[in-house]
Amino acid sequence: KQWYQRRVRGQFDDIRGLDYGCGPSPTLSYLLKEQGIPHVDDYDPYFYPSSQIDSIVIPFKKEDGPSDIILTQTTTPTDFPSSSQSTTTESTLITDDNLPPLSTIKPLYDFITCTETAEHFYVPYIDWRKLTHTSLLKRNGGVLVVMTSLLYNDEQFENWAYLRDVTHVSLYRPKTMEYIAKDLGLELIWPVERKNIAAFIIR
């Protein structure tokens, strides 16, 4: 909150945020609300699905692969525990082709947090683009804050606790965050108060 307040220099009453990957027991949204940020939504594809977020389709660019391939994710995979909230809903697919002009879009959020979630991205190409999608995070100042354990040197790798969790399928170095920022056209802010946190600004 302190970092964001210094960055935006505004009142929190009109700011909307999203905790992306909140898990079965949302925590960060409640902490932020206690700190004076009242409008923070929870999203998790398995426990707190959202038809608007789940319906976003990320197509490959031509240079990334065949133009007819579209990447999608299922809302409730069979290898995850069931949840009363984990149901797939019918909705209109949001793609770059059927979005209105940028000048007419009102993105949902001023900031998005992604805490201990990015390491669970099975297809990072999809999730990183969802996090910064035009319909979710506002342009010209929207903030994405990602917390995940980063590999800072090769000596750390052998005893790195992240390797012991079989659900950690996407691992990152600081250079990975630099690549993501460049690939998605973001401004990467280093450092952010502590290690293992990367903040991106949408320009």
Side-chain angles (χ1 to χ4, degrees):
K1 176 195 173 185
Q2 294 174 351
W3 176 84
Y4 192 77
Q5 190 172 37
R6 292 198 301 269
R7 191 75 187 183
V8 300
R9 302 178 185 277
Q11 299 298 318
F12 287 136
D13 291 343
D14 297 327
I15 292 176
R16 301 196 67 87
L18 173 71
D19 183 16
Y20 187 105
C22 63
S25 302
T27 301
L28 185 57
S29 60
Y30 290 102
L31 293 176
L32 290 173
K33 289 172 184 177
E34 289 180 352
Q35 293 298 314
I37 305 177
H39 307 295
V40 183
D41 294 335
D42 296 307
Y43 169 74
D44 191 283
Y46 313 115
F47 303 102
Y48 284 81
S50 161
S51 60
Q52 177 155 358
I53 299 175
D54 291 330
S55 66
I56 295 175
V57 174
I58 307 297
F60 273 115
K61 297 178 182 178
K62 289 184 178 180
E63 59 267 26
D64 296 323
S67 59
D68 59 343
I69 292 180
I70 294 180
L71 295 176
T72 60
Q73 283 180 314
T74 56
T75 303
T76 313
T78 57
D79 56 341
F80 272 75
S82 60
S83 168
S84 59
Q85 300 187 30
S86 301
T87 56
T88 304
T89 56
E90 294 291 334
S91 57
T92 302
L93 294 179
I94 302 173
T95 69
D96 291 337
D97 293 330
N98 64 18
L99 279 171
L102 288 178
S103 59
T104 67
I105 295 174
K106 186 177 181 181
L108 293 179
Y109 302 108
D110 300 280
F111 72 91
I112 294 177
T113 60
C114 182
T115 305
E116 297 294 332
T117 298
E119 62 272 16
H120 301 286
F121 289 170
Y122 276 87
V123 188
Y125 187 101
I126 292 177
D127 282 286
W128 281 95
R129 281 163 174 76
K130 278 191 175 184
L131 285 169
T132 57
H133 199 272
T134 306
S135 63
L136 292 185
L137 189 58
K138 77 174 186 179
R139 271 41 207 162
N140 301 317
V143 176
L144 169 63
V145 181
V146 176
M147 185 174 81
T148 185
S149 182
L150 300 178
L151 184 68
Y152 287 92
N153 55 68
D154 293 341
E155 291 73 21
Q156 175 189 353
F157 185 80
E158 184 176 356
N159 297 314
W160 195 19
Y162 256 39
L163 295 179
R164 304 190 190 108
D165 190 327
V166 296
T167 69
H168 291 174
V169 293
S170 293
L171 304 176
Y172 306 85
R173 294 176 181 265
K175 285 187 177 181
T176 315
M177 295 301 181
E178 294 173 4
Y179 174 86
I180 290 170
K182 182 178 180 181
D183 185 51
L184 298 180
L186 312 175
E187 177 187 348
L188 177 60
I189 307 299
W190 292 106
V192 183
E193 305 297 338
R194 52 173 292 182
K195 294 171 64 175
N196 298 326
I197 295 181
F200 303 85
I201 307 295
I202 305 292
R203 295 303 183 192

